[in-house]
């Protein structure tokens, strides 16, 4: 059983909100969300909007931000890609790796995700490793095996100090963007599996590891999800795009 901790509210904007929309969002969100020291708020805008986010959050260091993906290499002939080493200069301090859309749409494999985590760590960013099963895998009774494979592949490629800095996001693929949320009991079960899988890896501290839930989180279900055992925060897509809805989520448990 994990000890109580301050929740993390993370927003994954995916390919939504360019620089102008980011500025407009932030103007409204800053009014609706006062800084709170009992929670962490972090937004993952599209890379092209990182400078706009940095500018729009001036004077609000409580509003952290990060990058949705980086390339597995540091530099080179990779047209269109972004290097983790380029990210800190924008002021961003976090990075996602292994989101199911990256795995599905862009072919990110477990081995690539592991290398991306290393790049994020080398750049001094805080990585969030996203894991989760498809509906087919869940129905075949493979939840535990899938999570185990994804976690093992990532952690085996990292040093103990790197592992110690990882945050996790459990996102069942069948709940992402579908309106179908995992029940608090489902989330608690999966978070328990993730936590159990961390033990045995030097550098990991399972009871203190931060594990976020993602998949159709909204203002209406944030309270019950956050109350589920072992859920330390949320990673929110669709409901984070509207500043009022995102402010409602970030106000949960205050
Ligand atoms: P959703 O996306 O909240 O729109 O389901 C979550 C995610 O993909 O991180």
């Amino acid at each position: 059983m994990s000890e109580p901790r301050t929740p993390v509210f993370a927003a994954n904007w995916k390919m939504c909100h360019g620089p102008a929309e980011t500025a407009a969002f932030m103007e409204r969100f800053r009014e609706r969300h006062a800084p709170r020291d009992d929670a962490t708020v972090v937004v993952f805008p599209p890379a092209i909007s990182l400078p706009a986010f940095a500018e729009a959050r001036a004077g609000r260091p409580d509003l952290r931000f990060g990058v949705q993906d980086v390339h597995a290499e540091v530099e080179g002939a990779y047209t269109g890609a972004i290097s983790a080493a380029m990210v800190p200069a924008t002021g961003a301090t976090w990075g996602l790796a292994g989101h199911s859309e990256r795995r599905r749409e862009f072919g990110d494999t477990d081995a690539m995700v592991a290398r991306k985590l290393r790049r994020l760590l080398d750049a001094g960013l805080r990585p969030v490793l996203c894991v989760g099963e498809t509906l087919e895998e869940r129905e075949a009774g493979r939840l535990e095996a899938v999570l185990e494979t994804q976690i093992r592949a990532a952690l085996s490629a990292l040093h103990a100090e790197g592992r110690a800095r990882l945050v996790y996001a459990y996102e069942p693929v069948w709940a992402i963007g579908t309106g179908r949320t995992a029940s608090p009991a489902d989330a608690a079960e999966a978070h328990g599996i993730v936590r159990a899988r961390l033990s045995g890896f030097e550098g990991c501290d399972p009871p203190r590891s931060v594990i976020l839930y993602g998949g159709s989180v909204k203002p209406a279900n944030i309270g019950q999800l956050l109350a589920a055992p072992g859920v330390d925060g949320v990673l929110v897509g669709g409901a984070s795009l509207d500043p009022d809805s995102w402010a409602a989520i970030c106000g949960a448990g205050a």
Side-chain angles (χ1 to χ4, degrees):
M1 181 83 180
S2 58
E3 58 195 55
R5 74 208 69 208
T6 62
V8 175
F9 298 103
N12 175 11
W13 285 357
K14 312 189 179 185
M15 200 173 70
C16 301
H17 289 349
E21 292 94 346
T22 296
F25 175 101
M26 287 296 279
E27 199 179 325
R28 174 82 179 165
F29 180 68
R30 286 175 61 130
E31 281 167 16
R32 307 280 294 174
H33 177 78
R36 49 183 293 201
D37 53 17
D38 61 345
T40 299
V41 173
V42 49
V43 176
F44 297 89
I48 201 163
S49 298
L50 293 174
F53 192 97
E55 195 182 327
R57 74 148 196 172
R60 287 292 301 269
D62 61 305
L63 305 178
R64 297 171 176 82
F65 62 111
V67 68
Q68 296 172 12
D69 182 55
V70 293
H71 198 275
E73 298 297 334
V74 176
E75 190 175 56
Y78 303 104
T79 302
I82 287 163
S83 168
M86 299 168 181
V87 174
T90 66
T93 49
W94 288 58
L96 299 180
H99 190 278
S100 62
E101 286 153 16
R102 291 293 321 176
R103 295 177 190 261
R104 185 183 67 221
E105 304 286 333
F106 301 91
D108 286 18
T109 61
D110 281 333
M112 281 163 70
V113 172
R115 284 165 65 213
K116 290 179 179 203
L117 288 170
R118 282 178 36 196
R119 298 305 177 206
L120 290 167
L121 288 164
D122 288 348
L125 299 164
R126 167 152 284 217
V128 180
L129 168 62
C130 303
V131 297
E133 83 289 3
T134 63
L135 187 58
E136 202 181 14
E137 289 165 339
R138 171 168 278 258
E139 286 176 346
R142 299 192 52 234
L143 169 66
E144 200 157 346
V146 169
L147 297 179
E148 149 110 51
T149 303
Q150 292 173 339
I151 290 166
R152 178 168 296 280
L155 295 186
S156 318
L158 302 179
H159 296 300
E161 308 83 69
R163 290 179 195 139
R165 286 169 48 207
L166 244 54
V167 168
Y168 303 85
Y170 166 66
E171 299 202 300
V173 179
W174 46 271
I176 295 179
T178 57
R180 196 176 152 188
T181 317
S183 68
D186 284 341
E189 183 200 8
H191 283 225
I193 293 170
V194 172
R195 216 176 283 286
R197 292 296 142 239
L198 305 182
S199 60
F201 283 99
E202 195 197 337
C204 291
D205 184 0
R208 296 179 59 85
S209 292
V210 173
I211 309 175
L212 315 180
Y213 167 78
S216 297
V217 175
K218 359 180 199 322
N221 58 28
I222 180 71
Q224 48 170 357
L225 285 165
L226 269 190
V231 174
D232 306 309
V234 286
L235 179 56
V236 186
S240 73
L241 292 172
D242 174 77
D244 291 356
S245 153
W246 180 230
I249 289 171
C250 293

